[in-house]
Amino acid sequence: MAMAGGDGMPKPDHAETNCNNCSVLYSADVLVPTKCGAGYCKSMGKEGVMDLESLRNGESDDGTGDLHQPLLEISKASIVQVKAGSSDFNWKAAVLPFLFPAIGGLLYGYDTGATSGAAVSLTDQHLSGTDWYNLTALETGLFVSGSLYGALLGSLLAYKIADFLGRRLELITAAGFYIAGSLISAAAQSLGLLLTGRLVFGIGIGLAMHAAPMYIAETSPPPIRGTLISLKEAFVVGGMLIGYFVASLSIQQTCGWRIMLGLGAPLGLVMGIGIWWLPPSPRWLLLKALQGHANNVAEMKLNAAAALKRLRRIESCTLVTDTAVEAEVEDAWLALQLACEGNKSQIVTFKELFQGASLKALGIGTGLVFFQQVTGQPSVLYYAAPILQTAGFSMAADATRAAFFLSFFKLFMTCVAVVRVDKVGRRPLLIGGVSGVILSLILLAGYFTIGKMPWLAVAALLLYVGSYQVSFGPISWLMISEIFPLRTRGQALSLTVFVNFLANAGVALAFSPLQEAIGQTYTFIIFGIMGLFSLVFILVAVPETKGLSLEQIEAKLLARA
């Protein structure tokens, strides 16, 4: 039986009840508008919506106490924020669903670290072990950047297959590309075959960097979701360190480049086997049910609940109950139904990505990854070795040692972000980190102007690296894995990852011509100006998502769309 609110509207007084007018089911954990227009209530505030406890306690955000506003017109923006999830979770249960997808990021970092050493080995007359070692600058550039172009293709491929394969099978496919690309590259007997292997490996990067954040975000408990996705960035940096280490061990061996490139195969195999053991994403199962790919929706919802129980290891954890898991599945299902209300087609169209909450999220996501690249990363690191050498650091005598030093520092600062992100939030880290990036770029521009005070250049370089790794480095990937509505998440994230790699390639191609045309000082001034634009963008457009479930984040964006 439903109680009436102060305005005569039905109010749930237990776990589930029905609207008196149209029998739409309410849940105590999720308030939804009824189709008859006499729905429960909606309270709009600075954060978009209020939660269940605030409504029950008679609180309002405008001081009038007028909480119960009839929903005369029902729309997708009518979704109301779900009750905050429980802070109870099982850390042990969260490890493996994070670890195996994160290996996809580790392989991306490994490729970055190993490729520079492989290029030296490949083009050395005595170490190459080939008769085609004398590569032109263009051919060397294609070898080094081949995986980047493959990643662009992979991110476009993900747009078509993301919802068809699901997050789990997409990651397994990525592992297959990693293995194939590594083996083709390591066994290549011609430059053409080698470049083919690099391209295939890059497709694996594009798929993995698309699917891994989604899988981790959709399977992680909300209280530690930020920590886990940020930790994936630490795996990328750790992969770079492993790549540098393998390159340093193999670079004096004949055909050492084959070892460097071939090591991706066993790592890819571990990734593929591990992900094969994991269950599908419960939210993807619900999406498939709503898209009409399941004969029995109730059975698919049970499968989603079973997958979530397995991910939470509910049988061995007293902190998480059957009821909590079923409530989380029901919350996701109701949010997905509302997001799809009014859409004639259950299949996502390209046009739909540029409407409502999807457009809002796409603007935030593409903006973050665009500014992540155009603020100078990784071009600033091009000057790392000469700057350290000018300051008298013996480790800068060769580029490999300088790269080791900076990679360890990057890993340390990434770990700082991992520890703090779910405590202080995403926005504070972005705002503070980007402010540090801007200051460091100004200092670097000053250094190249006066040509003195090398200690200032070293401090600026370390400030840049540290600030980037507590902000754009991990937080951009975290935000783009959280903000997209479930219905359009696969396609929208694919476009965002494509923009990321495209901007990366654009900055890499434009950096040298820009430097020659206007000089080092003005190049860093331009990067600094882009940093100011990015700070304004973050202050104005990027919401805080700390501690919210994916459904709560979707509700927040719907309310603001």
Side-chain angles (χ1 to χ4, degrees):
M1 187 73 178
M3 297 188 302
D7 55 358
M9 297 178 66
K11 184 172 183 178
D13 57 356
H14 51 80
E16 293 183 342
T17 188
N18 295 87
C19 171
N20 291 333
N21 292 339
C22 66
S23 301
V24 169
L25 189 67
Y26 285 118
S27 166
D29 293 320
V30 183
L31 299 179
V32 297
T34 59
K35 295 183 181 299
C36 66
Y40 180 58
C41 62
K42 176 175 71 172
S43 180
M44 306 299 294
K46 291 182 179 180
E47 293 304 314
V49 285
M50 295 184 69
D51 64 17
L52 178 62
E53 294 303 319
S54 298
L55 293 170
R56 284 179 171 171
N57 293 336
E59 300 170 358
S60 71
D61 42 10
D62 60 5
T64 65
D66 182 16
L67 288 175
H68 306 294
Q69 306 170 16
L71 298 182
L72 299 179
E73 295 183 5
I74 303 302
S75 68
K76 287 183 286 184
S78 301
I79 184 170
V80 181
Q81 179 169 317
V82 299
K83 186 178 178 181
S86 170
S87 61
D88 295 330
F89 57 87
N90 183 356
W91 261 108
K92 292 182 179 179
V95 171
L96 293 181
F98 156 78
L99 177 62
F100 294 117
I103 293 176
L106 184 143
L107 279 163
Y108 173 38
Y110 175 81
D111 180 73
T112 303
T115 300
S116 57
V120 173
S121 173
L122 177 64
T123 56
D124 187 281
Q125 179 179 1
H126 304 290
L127 300 176
S128 176
T130 70
D131 56 4
W132 40 273
Y133 63 87
N134 191 21
L135 304 183
T136 66
L138 176 61
E139 290 170 337
T140 302
L142 288 174
F143 166 73
V144 172
S145 58
S147 60
L148 175 59
Y149 299 130
L152 283 169
L153 292 176
S155 59
L156 289 178
L157 178 63
Y159 182 89
K160 287 292 186 181
I161 68 173
D163 287 341
F164 173 72
L165 290 181
R167 292 56 164 139
R168 173 176 168 269
L169 286 182
E170 185 180 350
L171 283 167
I172 293 173
T173 303
F177 276 104
Y178 276 142
I179 295 169
S182 296
L183 294 178
I184 293 172
S185 299
Q189 298 299 316
S190 67
L191 178 61
L193 197 57
L194 176 60
L195 295 180
T196 300
R198 299 288 294 144
L199 194 70
V200 170
F201 190 93
I203 293 174
I205 292 176
L207 293 176
M209 297 304 286
H210 171 262
M214 279 200 298
Y215 188 88
I216 296 170
E218 293 181 358
T219 59
S220 300
I224 59 171
R225 185 179 62 243
T227 297
L228 293 177
I229 299 176
S230 300
L231 191 58
K232 183 188 72 68
E233 175 65 16
F235 269 59
V236 174
V237 179
M240 292 172 61
L241 277 171
I242 295 173
Y244 291 136
F245 180 70
V246 171
S248 67
L249 293 179
S250 309
I251 199 163
Q252 296 301 325
Q253 299 182 35
T254 303
C255 292
W257 60 273
R258 297 186 187 273
I259 299 174
M260 301 175 207
L261 300 180
L263 190 60
L267 291 173
L269 184 62
V270 171
M271 172 186 169
I273 293 174
I275 293 171
W276 185 268
W277 174 82
L278 293 173
S281 163
R283 287 174 170 86
W284 175 75
L285 290 173
L286 295 177
L287 179 63
K288 297 300 285 183
L290 194 66
Q291 290 178 338
H293 296 286
N295 295 326
N296 190 324
V297 172
E299 182 180 351
M300 188 66 83
K301 290 171 69 175
L302 288 175
N303 291 340
L308 190 59
K309 289 176 185 178
R310 183 178 167 191
L311 289 163
R312 300 287 191 266
R313 291 190 184 176
I314 192 170
E315 66 277 359
S316 61
C317 178
T318 58
L319 294 176
V320 185
T321 64
D322 278 317
T323 303
V325 167
E326 291 165 2
E328 185 174 344
V329 170
E330 190 63 28
D331 291 349
W333 176 251
L334 290 172
L336 184 57
Q337 283 184 307
L338 286 170
C340 295
E341 190 175 30
N343 289 304
K344 295 180 180 180
S345 173
Q346 299 291 6
I347 304 301
V348 177
T349 63
F350 187 75
K351 180 181 178 181
E352 189 178 341
L353 299 178
F354 299 92
Q355 297 174 342
S358 293
L359 174 61
K360 179 78 173 179
L362 193 62
I364 295 169
T366 55
L368 282 172
V369 298
F370 174 76
F371 284 119
Q372 179 190 49
Q373 300 297 331
V374 298
T375 48
Q377 197 341 89
S379 300
V380 172
L381 300 184
Y382 175 85
Y383 288 100
I387 287 174
L388 291 173
Q389 193 169 17
T390 301
F393 281 63
S394 60
M395 66 192 67
D398 62 76
T400 301
R401 291 179 181 177
F404 264 120
F405 171 73
L406 284 176
S407 295
F408 273 113
F409 183 64
K410 288 177 69 175
L411 183 60
F412 172 77
M413 294 307 298
T414 304
C415 291
V416 172
V418 169
V419 171
R420 301 303 299 171
V421 66
D422 279 323
K423 295 179 181 178
V424 303
R426 284 66 160 150
R427 276 175 59 87
L429 288 176
L430 279 172
I431 293 169
V434 172
S435 299
V437 166
I438 296 169
L439 177 59
S440 68
L441 290 169
I442 294 172
L443 293 175
L444 285 170
Y447 166 74
F448 284 110
T449 299
I450 62 178
K452 298 179 180 179
M453 297 188 295
W455 60 267
L456 179 63
V458 174
L461 178 65
L462 295 179
L463 176 61
Y464 181 92
V465 172
S467 298
Y468 182 88
Q469 289 306 130
V470 298
S471 57
F472 274 142
I475 307 302
S476 294
W477 287 101
L478 166 59
M479 293 293 295
I480 65 175
S481 70
E482 295 179 319
I483 59 175
F484 294 113
L486 176 57
R487 173 175 165 81
T488 58
R489 186 172 296 149
Q491 290 80 2
L493 189 55
S494 169
L495 291 183
T496 305
V497 173
F498 177 77
V499 169
N500 173 76
F501 288 120
L502 185 63
N504 188 323
V507 170
L509 288 173
F511 178 68
S512 293
L514 186 65
Q515 175 187 278
E516 291 178 4
I518 63 176
Q520 298 164 335
T521 298
Y522 287 105
T523 298
F524 283 104
I525 289 175
I526 290 175
F527 286 151
I529 292 172
M530 296 306 299
L532 286 172
F533 283 129
S534 68
L535 183 59
V536 172
F537 172 78
I538 291 165
L539 290 170
V540 172
V542 178
E544 181 57 72
T545 59
K546 180 187 73 170
L548 301 178
S549 71
L550 296 179
E551 287 67 47
Q552 287 174 309
I553 296 170
E554 183 174 350
K556 198 172 186 178
L557 290 174
L558 279 167
R560 292 181 175 185

